PDB file of all heavy atoms in Angstrom:
ATOM      1  N   ASN N  55      18.513 -17.017  13.394  1.00 93.00           N
ATOM      2  CA  ASN N  55      18.323 -15.854  12.734  1.00 93.00           C
ATOM      3  C   ASN N  55      19.050 -14.583  13.336  1.00 93.00           C
ATOM      4  O   ASN N  55      19.779 -13.935  12.752  1.00 93.00           O
ATOM      5  CB  ASN N  55      16.831 -15.559  12.663  1.00 93.00           C
ATOM      6  CG  ASN N  55      16.435 -14.474  11.636  1.00 93.00           C
ATOM      7  OD1 ASN N  55      17.189 -14.194  10.866  1.00 93.00           O
ATOM      8  ND2 ASN N  55      15.180 -14.029  11.673  1.00 93.00           N
ATOM      9  N   LYS N  56      18.942 -14.526  14.685  1.00 95.00           N
ATOM     10  CA  LYS N  56      19.577 -13.257  15.326  1.00 95.00           C
ATOM     11  C   LYS N  56      21.094 -13.406  15.170  1.00 95.00           C
ATOM     12  O   LYS N  56      21.773 -12.464  14.827  1.00 95.00           O
ATOM     13  CB  LYS N  56      19.210 -13.346  16.752  1.00 95.00           C
ATOM     14  CG  LYS N  56      19.835 -12.210  17.562  1.00 95.00           C
ATOM     15  CD  LYS N  56      18.710 -11.205  18.034  1.00 95.00           C
ATOM     16  CE  LYS N  56      19.318 -10.109  18.753  1.00 95.00           C
ATOM     17  NZ  LYS N  56      18.219  -9.072  19.080  1.00 95.00           N
ATOM     18  N   MET N  57      21.630 -14.664  15.504  1.00 97.00           N
ATOM     19  CA  MET N  57      23.122 -14.789  15.574  1.00 97.00           C
ATOM     20  C   MET N  57      23.740 -14.626  14.140  1.00 97.00           C
ATOM     21  O   MET N  57      24.798 -14.099  14.019  1.00 97.00           O
ATOM     22  CB  MET N  57      23.435 -16.125  16.077  1.00 97.00           C
ATOM     23  CG  MET N  57      23.294 -16.100  17.611  1.00 97.00           C
ATOM     24  SD  MET N  57      24.261 -14.853  18.563  1.00 97.00           S
ATOM     25  CE  MET N  57      25.915 -15.055  18.024  1.00 97.00           C
ATOM     26  N   CYS N  58      22.980 -15.124  13.190  1.00 97.00           N
ATOM     27  CA  CYS N  58      23.474 -15.071  11.803  1.00 97.00           C
ATOM     28  C   CYS N  58      23.596 -13.570  11.265  1.00 97.00           C
ATOM     29  O   CYS N  58      24.625 -13.261  10.743  1.00 97.00           O
ATOM     30  CB  CYS N  58      22.604 -15.836  10.665  1.00 97.00           C
ATOM     31  SG  CYS N  58      22.874 -17.571  10.928  1.00 97.00           S
ATOM     32  N   LEU N  59      22.580 -12.821  11.753  1.00 96.00           N
ATOM     33  CA  LEU N  59      22.662 -11.422  11.361  1.00 96.00           C
ATOM     34  C   LEU N  59      23.710 -10.659  12.124  1.00 96.00           C
ATOM     35  O   LEU N  59      24.285  -9.912  11.605  1.00 96.00           O
ATOM     36  CB  LEU N  59      21.265 -10.704  11.673  1.00 96.00           C
ATOM     37  CG  LEU N  59      20.058 -11.189  10.750  1.00 96.00           C
ATOM     38  CD1 LEU N  59      18.841 -10.644  11.317  1.00 96.00           C
ATOM     39  CD2 LEU N  59      20.342 -10.710   9.473  1.00 96.00           C
ATOM     40  N   VAL N  60      23.882 -11.043  13.457  1.00 97.00           N
ATOM     41  CA  VAL N  60      24.884 -10.373  14.344  1.00 97.00           C
ATOM     42  C   VAL N  60      26.227 -10.555  13.799  1.00 97.00           C
ATOM     43  O   VAL N  60      27.079  -9.821  13.638  1.00 97.00           O
ATOM     44  CB  VAL N  60      24.673 -10.542  15.737  1.00 97.00           C
ATOM     45  CG1 VAL N  60      25.718 -10.120  16.615  1.00 97.00           C
ATOM     46  CG2 VAL N  60      23.380 -10.001  16.271  1.00 97.00           C
ATOM     47  N   LEU N  61      26.425 -11.936  13.710  1.00 97.00           N
ATOM     48  CA  LEU N  61      27.858 -12.393  13.327  1.00 97.00           C
ATOM     49  C   LEU N  61      28.228 -11.811  11.960  1.00 97.00           C
ATOM     50  O   LEU N  61      29.415 -11.384  11.613  1.00 97.00           O
ATOM     51  CB  LEU N  61      27.863 -13.954  13.239  1.00 97.00           C
ATOM     52  CG  LEU N  61      28.068 -14.585  14.490  1.00 97.00           C
ATOM     53  CD1 LEU N  61      27.955 -16.194  14.278  1.00 97.00           C
ATOM     54  CD2 LEU N  61      29.352 -14.303  15.275  1.00 97.00           C
ATOM     55  N   GLY N  62      27.205 -11.930  10.901  1.00 97.00           N
ATOM     56  CA  GLY N  62      27.514 -11.365   9.623  1.00 97.00           C
ATOM     57  C   GLY N  62      27.787  -9.970   9.761  1.00 97.00           C
ATOM     58  O   GLY N  62      28.594  -9.407   8.973  1.00 97.00           O
ATOM     59  N   SER N  63      27.065  -9.254  10.607  1.00 98.00           N
ATOM     60  CA  SER N  63      27.289  -7.684  10.736  1.00 98.00           C
ATOM     61  C   SER N  63      28.738  -7.375  11.320  1.00 98.00           C
ATOM     62  O   SER N  63      29.406  -6.610  10.866  1.00 98.00           O
ATOM     63  CB  SER N  63      26.212  -7.084  11.506  1.00 98.00           C
ATOM     64  OG  SER N  63      24.917  -7.258  11.067  1.00 98.00           O
ATOM     65  N   VAL N  64      29.072  -8.092  12.392  1.00 98.00           N
ATOM     66  CA  VAL N  64      30.309  -7.865  12.951  1.00 98.00           C
ATOM     67  C   VAL N  64      31.442  -8.225  11.958  1.00 98.00           C
ATOM     68  O   VAL N  64      32.443  -7.525  11.868  1.00 98.00           O
ATOM     69  CB  VAL N  64      30.441  -8.757  14.224  1.00 98.00           C
ATOM     70  CG1 VAL N  64      31.966  -8.694  14.813  1.00 98.00           C
ATOM     71  CG2 VAL N  64      29.532  -8.320  15.240  1.00 98.00           C
ATOM     72  N   PHE N  65      31.423  -9.261  11.390  1.00 98.00           N
ATOM     73  CA  PHE N  65      32.403  -9.562  10.248  1.00 98.00           C
ATOM     74  C   PHE N  65      32.312  -8.668   9.157  1.00 98.00           C
ATOM     75  O   PHE N  65      33.447  -8.295   8.636  1.00 98.00           O
ATOM     76  CB  PHE N  65      32.230 -11.171   9.738  1.00 98.00           C
ATOM     77  CG  PHE N  65      32.377 -12.105  10.646  1.00 98.00           C
ATOM     78  CD1 PHE N  65      31.491 -13.317  10.648  1.00 98.00           C
ATOM     79  CD2 PHE N  65      33.442 -12.106  11.624  1.00 98.00           C
ATOM     80  CE1 PHE N  65      31.865 -14.328  11.657  1.00 98.00           C
ATOM     81  CE2 PHE N  65      33.658 -13.059  12.518  1.00 98.00           C
ATOM     82  CZ  PHE N  65      32.920 -14.227  12.487  1.00 98.00           C
ATOM     83  N   GLY N  66      31.248  -8.189   8.838  1.00 98.00           N
ATOM     84  CA  GLY N  66      31.114  -7.193   7.791  1.00 98.00           C
ATOM     85  C   GLY N  66      31.773  -5.859   8.098  1.00 98.00           C
ATOM     86  O   GLY N  66      32.487  -5.187   7.269  1.00 98.00           O
ATOM     87  N   PHE N  67      31.640  -5.284   9.376  1.00 98.00           N
ATOM     88  CA  PHE N  67      32.442  -4.155   9.918  1.00 98.00           C
ATOM     89  C   PHE N  67      33.957  -4.377   9.932  1.00 98.00           C
ATOM     90  O   PHE N  67      34.667  -3.404   9.637  1.00 98.00           O
ATOM     91  CB  PHE N  67      31.892  -3.757  11.161  1.00 98.00           C
ATOM     92  CG  PHE N  67      30.530  -3.154  11.132  1.00 98.00           C
ATOM     93  CD1 PHE N  67      29.468  -3.564  11.949  1.00 98.00           C
ATOM     94  CD2 PHE N  67      30.317  -2.054  10.415  1.00 98.00           C
ATOM     95  CE1 PHE N  67      28.259  -3.014  11.966  1.00 98.00           C
ATOM     96  CE2 PHE N  67      29.035  -1.411  10.296  1.00 98.00           C
ATOM     97  CZ  PHE N  67      27.952  -1.974  11.161  1.00 98.00           C
ATOM     98  N   LEU N  68      34.284  -5.635  10.103  1.00 98.00           N
ATOM     99  CA  LEU N  68      35.645  -5.912  10.240  1.00 98.00           C
ATOM    100  C   LEU N  68      36.466  -6.040   8.850  1.00 98.00           C
ATOM    101  O   LEU N  68      37.602  -5.845   8.773  1.00 98.00           O
ATOM    102  CB  LEU N  68      35.921  -7.260  11.028  1.00 98.00           C
ATOM    103  CG  LEU N  68      35.666  -7.199  12.580  1.00 98.00           C
ATOM    104  CD1 LEU N  68      35.766  -8.595  13.068  1.00 98.00           C
ATOM    105  CD2 LEU N  68      36.590  -6.247  13.276  1.00 98.00           C
ATOM    106  N   ILE N  69      35.656  -6.203   7.802  1.00 98.00           N
ATOM    107  CA  ILE N  69      36.174  -6.330   6.355  1.00 98.00           C
ATOM    108  C   ILE N  69      37.029  -5.123   6.047  1.00 98.00           C
ATOM    109  O   ILE N  69      38.154  -5.313   5.632  1.00 98.00           O
ATOM    110  CB  ILE N  69      35.076  -6.702   5.518  1.00 98.00           C
ATOM    111  CG1 ILE N  69      34.619  -8.109   5.630  1.00 98.00           C
ATOM    112  CG2 ILE N  69      35.629  -6.579   4.032  1.00 98.00           C
ATOM    113  CD1 ILE N  69      33.437  -8.575   4.914  1.00 98.00           C
ATOM    114  N   PRO N  70      36.449  -3.952   5.999  1.00 97.00           N
ATOM    115  CA  PRO N  70      37.331  -2.675   5.555  1.00 97.00           C
ATOM    116  C   PRO N  70      38.562  -2.547   6.559  1.00 97.00           C
ATOM    117  O   PRO N  70      39.509  -1.941   6.088  1.00 97.00           O
ATOM    118  CB  PRO N  70      36.356  -1.585   5.581  1.00 97.00           C
ATOM    119  CG  PRO N  70      35.139  -2.000   6.415  1.00 97.00           C
ATOM    120  CD  PRO N  70      35.101  -3.450   6.307  1.00 97.00           C
ATOM    121  N   ILE N  71      38.337  -2.904   7.817  1.00 97.00           N
ATOM    122  CA  ILE N  71      39.426  -2.723   8.863  1.00 97.00           C
ATOM    123  C   ILE N  71      40.574  -3.672   8.474  1.00 97.00           C
ATOM    124  O   ILE N  71      41.765  -3.279   8.422  1.00 97.00           O
ATOM    125  CB  ILE N  71      38.918  -2.917  10.267  1.00 97.00           C
ATOM    126  CG1 ILE N  71      37.969  -1.906  10.708  1.00 97.00           C
ATOM    127  CG2 ILE N  71      40.058  -2.945  11.224  1.00 97.00           C
ATOM    128  CD1 ILE N  71      37.138  -2.146  11.956  1.00 97.00           C
ATOM    129  N   THR N  72      40.208  -4.981   8.281  1.00 97.00           N
ATOM    130  CA  THR N  72      41.202  -5.925   7.773  1.00 97.00           C
ATOM    131  C   THR N  72      41.914  -5.486   6.494  1.00 97.00           C
ATOM    132  O   THR N  72      43.101  -5.598   6.415  1.00 97.00           O
ATOM    133  CB  THR N  72      40.503  -7.307   7.612  1.00 97.00           C
ATOM    134  OG1 THR N  72      39.703  -7.719   8.832  1.00 97.00           O
ATOM    135  CG2 THR N  72      41.532  -8.402   7.327  1.00 97.00           C
ATOM    136  N   ASN N  73      41.021  -4.951   5.543  1.00 96.00           N
ATOM    137  CA  ASN N  73      41.700  -4.614   4.350  1.00 96.00           C
ATOM    138  C   ASN N  73      42.696  -3.444   4.567  1.00 96.00           C
ATOM    139  O   ASN N  73      43.794  -3.433   3.995  1.00 96.00           O
ATOM    140  CB  ASN N  73      40.580  -4.040   3.305  1.00 96.00           C
ATOM    141  CG  ASN N  73      41.200  -3.754   1.925  1.00 96.00           C
ATOM    142  OD1 ASN N  73      42.152  -4.384   1.407  1.00 96.00           O
ATOM    143  ND2 ASN N  73      40.671  -2.677   1.362  1.00 96.00           N
ATOM    144  N   GLY N  74      42.263  -2.390   5.438  1.00 97.00           N
ATOM    145  CA  GLY N  74      43.225  -1.390   5.731  1.00 97.00           C
ATOM    146  C   GLY N  74      44.589  -1.782   6.434  1.00 97.00           C
ATOM    147  O   GLY N  74      45.599  -1.418   6.115  1.00 97.00           O
ATOM    148  N   LEU N  75      44.378  -2.772   7.393  1.00 96.00           N
ATOM    149  CA  LEU N  75      45.519  -3.208   8.242  1.00 96.00           C
ATOM    150  C   LEU N  75      46.548  -4.097   7.247  1.00 96.00           C
ATOM    151  O   LEU N  75      47.788  -4.023   7.429  1.00 96.00           O
ATOM    152  CB  LEU N  75      45.122  -4.084   9.204  1.00 96.00           C
ATOM    153  CG  LEU N  75      44.386  -3.317  10.585  1.00 96.00           C
ATOM    154  CD1 LEU N  75      43.920  -4.399  11.489  1.00 96.00           C
ATOM    155  CD2 LEU N  75      45.318  -2.357  11.186  1.00 96.00           C
ATOM    156  N   THR N  76      45.966  -4.798   6.341  1.00 95.00           N
ATOM    157  CA  THR N  76      46.697  -5.769   5.541  1.00 95.00           C
ATOM    158  C   THR N  76      47.447  -5.107   4.323  1.00 95.00           C
ATOM    159  O   THR N  76      48.497  -5.571   3.920  1.00 95.00           O
ATOM    160  CB  THR N  76      45.908  -7.106   5.208  1.00 95.00           C
ATOM    161  OG1 THR N  76      44.735  -6.616   4.454  1.00 95.00           O
ATOM    162  CG2 THR N  76      45.648  -7.824   6.365  1.00 95.00           C
ATOM    163  N   THR N  77      46.791  -4.187   3.621  1.00 94.00           N
ATOM    164  CA  THR N  77      47.243  -3.509   2.561  1.00 94.00           C
ATOM    165  C   THR N  77      47.496  -2.106   2.652  1.00 94.00           C
ATOM    166  O   THR N  77      48.405  -1.498   1.764  1.00 94.00           O
ATOM    167  CB  THR N  77      46.257  -3.778   1.388  1.00 94.00           C
ATOM    168  OG1 THR N  77      44.980  -2.952   1.715  1.00 94.00           O
ATOM    169  CG2 THR N  77      45.724  -5.141   1.215  1.00 94.00           C
ATOM    170  N   GLY N  78      47.046  -1.408   3.729  1.00 94.00           N
ATOM    171  CA  GLY N  78      47.276   0.025   3.846  1.00 94.00           C
ATOM    172  C   GLY N  78      46.202   0.866   3.017  1.00 94.00           C
ATOM    173  O   GLY N  78      46.283   2.147   3.098  1.00 94.00           O
ATOM    174  N   ASN N  79      45.402   0.212   2.248  1.00 93.00           N
ATOM    175  CA  ASN N  79      44.305   0.698   1.478  1.00 93.00           C
ATOM    176  C   ASN N  79      43.090   1.008   2.344  1.00 93.00           C
ATOM    177  O   ASN N  79      42.090   0.238   2.203  1.00 93.00           O
ATOM    178  CB  ASN N  79      43.997  -0.078   0.179  1.00 93.00           C
ATOM    179  CG  ASN N  79      44.941   0.275  -0.806  1.00 93.00           C
ATOM    180  OD1 ASN N  79      45.519   1.339  -1.055  1.00 93.00           O
ATOM    181  ND2 ASN N  79      45.333  -0.858  -1.660  1.00 93.00           N
ATOM    182  N   TRP N  80      43.136   1.919   3.263  1.00 96.00           N
ATOM    183  CA  TRP N  80      41.964   2.418   4.082  1.00 96.00           C
ATOM    184  C   TRP N  80      40.919   3.073   3.138  1.00 96.00           C
ATOM    185  O   TRP N  80      41.221   3.497   2.038  1.00 96.00           O
ATOM    186  CB  TRP N  80      42.390   3.230   5.202  1.00 96.00           C
ATOM    187  CG  TRP N  80      43.328   2.638   6.167  1.00 96.00           C
ATOM    188  CD1 TRP N  80      44.664   2.811   6.180  1.00 96.00           C
ATOM    189  CD2 TRP N  80      42.965   1.896   7.306  1.00 96.00           C
ATOM    190  NE1 TRP N  80      45.221   1.984   7.163  1.00 96.00           N
ATOM    191  CE2 TRP N  80      44.222   1.396   7.984  1.00 96.00           C
ATOM    192  CE3 TRP N  80      41.776   1.402   7.787  1.00 96.00           C
ATOM    193  CZ2 TRP N  80      44.205   0.516   8.942  1.00 96.00           C
ATOM    194  CZ3 TRP N  80      41.777   0.553   8.893  1.00 96.00           C
ATOM    195  CH2 TRP N  80      42.985   0.120   9.575  1.00 96.00           C
ATOM    196  N   ILE N  81      39.683   2.834   3.583  1.00 96.00           N
ATOM    197  CA  ILE N  81      38.526   3.264   2.737  1.00 96.00           C
ATOM    198  C   ILE N  81      38.570   4.694   2.321  1.00 96.00           C
ATOM    199  O   ILE N  81      38.340   5.105   1.096  1.00 96.00           O
ATOM    200  CB  ILE N  81      37.271   2.978   3.426  1.00 96.00           C
ATOM    201  CG1 ILE N  81      36.055   3.209   2.531  1.00 96.00           C
ATOM    202  CG2 ILE N  81      37.005   3.694   4.740  1.00 96.00           C
ATOM    203  CD1 ILE N  81      34.703   2.663   3.060  1.00 96.00           C
ATOM    204  N   TRP N  82      39.061   5.597   3.240  1.00 96.00           N
ATOM    205  CA  TRP N  82      39.260   6.929   2.826  1.00 96.00           C
ATOM    206  C   TRP N  82      40.367   7.101   1.750  1.00 96.00           C
ATOM    207  O   TRP N  82      40.215   8.014   0.941  1.00 96.00           O
ATOM    208  CB  TRP N  82      39.429   7.839   4.015  1.00 96.00           C
ATOM    209  CG  TRP N  82      40.732   7.428   4.870  1.00 96.00           C
ATOM    210  CD1 TRP N  82      42.052   7.892   4.740  1.00 96.00           C
ATOM    211  CD2 TRP N  82      40.671   6.640   6.007  1.00 96.00           C
ATOM    212  NE1 TRP N  82      42.859   7.449   5.751  1.00 96.00           N
ATOM    213  CE2 TRP N  82      41.986   6.598   6.499  1.00 96.00           C
ATOM    214  CE3 TRP N  82      39.669   5.946   6.688  1.00 96.00           C
ATOM    215  CZ2 TRP N  82      42.312   5.824   7.575  1.00 96.00           C
ATOM    216  CZ3 TRP N  82      39.990   5.186   7.877  1.00 96.00           C
ATOM    217  CH2 TRP N  82      41.346   5.079   8.252  1.00 96.00           C
ATOM    218  N   LYS N  83      41.414   6.448   1.839  1.00 96.00           N
ATOM    219  CA  LYS N  83      42.599   6.462   0.804  1.00 96.00           C
ATOM    220  C   LYS N  83      42.044   6.059  -0.441  1.00 96.00           C
ATOM    221  O   LYS N  83      42.362   6.665  -1.497  1.00 96.00           O
ATOM    222  CB  LYS N  83      43.652   5.673   1.288  1.00 96.00           C
ATOM    223  CG  LYS N  83      44.464   6.184   2.516  1.00 96.00           C
ATOM    224  CD  LYS N  83      45.653   5.468   2.740  1.00 96.00           C
ATOM    225  CE  LYS N  83      46.673   6.075   3.888  1.00 96.00           C
ATOM    226  NZ  LYS N  83      47.822   5.388   4.180  1.00 96.00           N
ATOM    227  N   SER N  84      41.325   4.878  -0.514  1.00 96.00           N
ATOM    228  CA  SER N  84      40.846   4.361  -1.801  1.00 96.00           C
ATOM    229  C   SER N  84      39.893   5.428  -2.409  1.00 96.00           C
ATOM    230  O   SER N  84      39.742   5.529  -3.659  1.00 96.00           O
ATOM    231  CB  SER N  84      40.264   3.028  -1.685  1.00 96.00           C
ATOM    232  OG  SER N  84      39.088   3.077  -0.823  1.00 96.00           O
ATOM    233  N   PHE N  85      39.142   6.019  -1.655  1.00 95.00           N
ATOM    234  CA  PHE N  85      38.078   7.068  -2.121  1.00 95.00           C
ATOM    235  C   PHE N  85      38.853   8.224  -2.733  1.00 95.00           C
ATOM    236  O   PHE N  85      38.479   8.626  -3.869  1.00 95.00           O
ATOM    237  CB  PHE N  85      37.289   7.531  -0.902  1.00 95.00           C
ATOM    238  CG  PHE N  85      36.365   8.639  -1.361  1.00 95.00           C
ATOM    239  CD1 PHE N  85      35.147   8.325  -2.184  1.00 95.00           C
ATOM    240  CD2 PHE N  85      36.527   9.936  -0.934  1.00 95.00           C
ATOM    241  CE1 PHE N  85      34.386   9.325  -2.539  1.00 95.00           C
ATOM    242  CE2 PHE N  85      35.655  11.006  -1.384  1.00 95.00           C
ATOM    243  CZ  PHE N  85      34.610  10.718  -2.175  1.00 95.00           C
ATOM    244  N   LEU N  86      39.938   8.727  -1.975  1.00 95.00           N
ATOM    245  CA  LEU N  86      40.688   9.820  -2.430  1.00 95.00           C
ATOM    246  C   LEU N  86      41.420   9.544  -3.703  1.00 95.00           C
ATOM    247  O   LEU N  86      41.695  10.380  -4.639  1.00 95.00           O
ATOM    248  CB  LEU N  86      41.532  10.462  -1.314  1.00 95.00           C
ATOM    249  CG  LEU N  86      40.710  11.070  -0.096  1.00 95.00           C
ATOM    250  CD1 LEU N  86      41.924  11.377   1.008  1.00 95.00           C
ATOM    251  CD2 LEU N  86      40.065  12.315  -0.536  1.00 95.00           C
ATOM    252  N   ASN N  87      41.952   8.260  -3.805  1.00 94.00           N
ATOM    253  CA  ASN N  87      42.791   7.975  -4.961  1.00 94.00           C
ATOM    254  C   ASN N  87      41.857   7.399  -6.090  1.00 94.00           C
ATOM    255  O   ASN N  87      42.475   6.805  -7.165  1.00 94.00           O
ATOM    256  CB  ASN N  87      43.765   6.758  -4.519  1.00 94.00           C
ATOM    257  CG  ASN N  87      44.804   7.191  -3.573  1.00 94.00           C
ATOM    258  OD1 ASN N  87      45.071   8.325  -3.619  1.00 94.00           O
ATOM    259  ND2 ASN N  87      45.236   6.389  -2.706  1.00 94.00           N
ATOM    260  N   GLN N  88      40.690   7.434  -5.958  1.00 92.00           N
ATOM    261  CA  GLN N  88      39.510   7.009  -7.011  1.00 92.00           C
ATOM    262  C   GLN N  88      39.793   5.636  -7.402  1.00 92.00           C
ATOM    263  O   GLN N  88      39.658   5.190  -8.614  1.00 92.00           O
ATOM    264  CB  GLN N  88      39.653   7.875  -8.218  1.00 92.00           C
ATOM    265  CG  GLN N  88      39.370   9.358  -7.923  1.00 92.00           C
ATOM    266  CD  GLN N  88      39.371  10.270  -9.236  1.00 92.00           C
ATOM    267  OE1 GLN N  88      39.999   9.988 -10.233  1.00 92.00           O
ATOM    268  NE2 GLN N  88      38.645  11.278  -9.113  1.00 92.00           N
ATOM    269  N   GLU N  89      40.186   4.738  -6.363  1.00 94.00           N
ATOM    270  CA  GLU N  89      40.372   3.251  -6.505  1.00 94.00           C
ATOM    271  C   GLU N  89      38.885   2.623  -6.314  1.00 94.00           C
ATOM    272  O   GLU N  89      38.597   2.180  -5.259  1.00 94.00           O
ATOM    273  CB  GLU N  89      41.280   2.713  -5.593  1.00 94.00           C
ATOM    274  CG  GLU N  89      42.678   3.259  -5.980  1.00 94.00           C
ATOM    275  CD  GLU N  89      43.778   2.964  -4.794  1.00 94.00           C
ATOM    276  OE1 GLU N  89      43.479   2.871  -3.599  1.00 94.00           O
ATOM    277  OE2 GLU N  89      44.886   2.797  -5.244  1.00 94.00           O
ATOM    278  N   THR N  90      38.141   2.656  -7.420  1.00 93.00           N
ATOM    279  CA  THR N  90      36.662   2.451  -7.417  1.00 93.00           C
ATOM    280  C   THR N  90      36.429   1.013  -6.761  1.00 93.00           C
ATOM    281  O   THR N  90      35.388   0.886  -5.906  1.00 93.00           O
ATOM    282  CB  THR N  90      36.096   2.419  -8.832  1.00 93.00           C
ATOM    283  OG1 THR N  90      36.497   3.707  -9.348  1.00 93.00           O
ATOM    284  CG2 THR N  90      34.625   2.408  -8.831  1.00 93.00           C
ATOM    285  N   GLN N  91      37.002  -0.033  -7.251  1.00 94.00           N
ATOM    286  CA  GLN N  91      36.745  -1.408  -6.811  1.00 94.00           C
ATOM    287  C   GLN N  91      37.102  -1.553  -5.374  1.00 94.00           C
ATOM    288  O   GLN N  91      36.300  -2.087  -4.612  1.00 94.00           O
ATOM    289  CB  GLN N  91      37.497  -2.379  -7.692  1.00 94.00           C
ATOM    290  CG  GLN N  91      36.965  -2.499  -9.162  1.00 94.00           C
ATOM    291  CD  GLN N  91      37.830  -1.644 -10.059  1.00 94.00           C
ATOM    292  OE1 GLN N  91      38.520  -0.851  -9.683  1.00 94.00           O
ATOM    293  NE2 GLN N  91      37.629  -1.914 -11.401  1.00 94.00           N
ATOM    294  N   LEU N  92      38.157  -0.929  -4.958  1.00 96.00           N
ATOM    295  CA  LEU N  92      38.620  -1.207  -3.516  1.00 96.00           C
ATOM    296  C   LEU N  92      37.647  -0.377  -2.574  1.00 96.00           C
ATOM    297  O   LEU N  92      37.173  -1.041  -1.499  1.00 96.00           O
ATOM    298  CB  LEU N  92      40.045  -0.732  -3.437  1.00 96.00           C
ATOM    299  CG  LEU N  92      41.080  -1.294  -4.324  1.00 96.00           C
ATOM    300  CD1 LEU N  92      42.532  -0.661  -3.899  1.00 96.00           C
ATOM    301  CD2 LEU N  92      41.144  -2.746  -4.225  1.00 96.00           C
ATOM    302  N   PHE N  93      37.356   0.765  -3.072  1.00 97.00           N
ATOM    303  CA  PHE N  93      36.443   1.533  -2.171  1.00 97.00           C
ATOM    304  C   PHE N  93      35.044   0.984  -2.071  1.00 97.00           C
ATOM    305  O   PHE N  93      34.328   0.993  -1.055  1.00 97.00           O
ATOM    306  CB  PHE N  93      36.312   2.999  -2.813  1.00 97.00           C
ATOM    307  CG  PHE N  93      35.165   3.864  -2.152  1.00 97.00           C
ATOM    308  CD1 PHE N  93      35.367   4.393  -0.730  1.00 97.00           C
ATOM    309  CD2 PHE N  93      34.022   3.999  -2.795  1.00 97.00           C
ATOM    310  CE1 PHE N  93      34.414   5.099  -0.293  1.00 97.00           C
ATOM    311  CE2 PHE N  93      32.974   4.851  -2.154  1.00 97.00           C
ATOM    312  CZ  PHE N  93      33.197   5.322  -0.954  1.00 97.00           C
TER     313      PHE N  93
END
């Protein structure tokens, strides 16, 4: 139970970071550009 929650949380935090590194669409950029689905 504990490891599934911790691993899922760590991977979850890495998702927007990975998106920013691979595409350049960081979360603040997609918000300012009104790119709804990406944000």
Side-chain angles (χ1 to χ4, degrees):
N55 196 5
K56 181 115 180 172
M57 286 307 299
C58 285
L59 290 172
V60 171
L61 284 175
S63 301
V64 171
F65 291 145
F67 285 124
L68 289 175
I69 288 170
I71 296 174
T72 305
N73 185 36
L75 291 173
T76 55
T77 67
N79 279 322
W80 296 95
I81 187 170
W82 56 85
K83 286 187 177 180
S84 58
F85 176 75
L86 293 174
N87 294 333
Q88 296 184 341
E89 296 170 329
T90 309
Q91 291 94 349
L92 306 184
F93 170 77

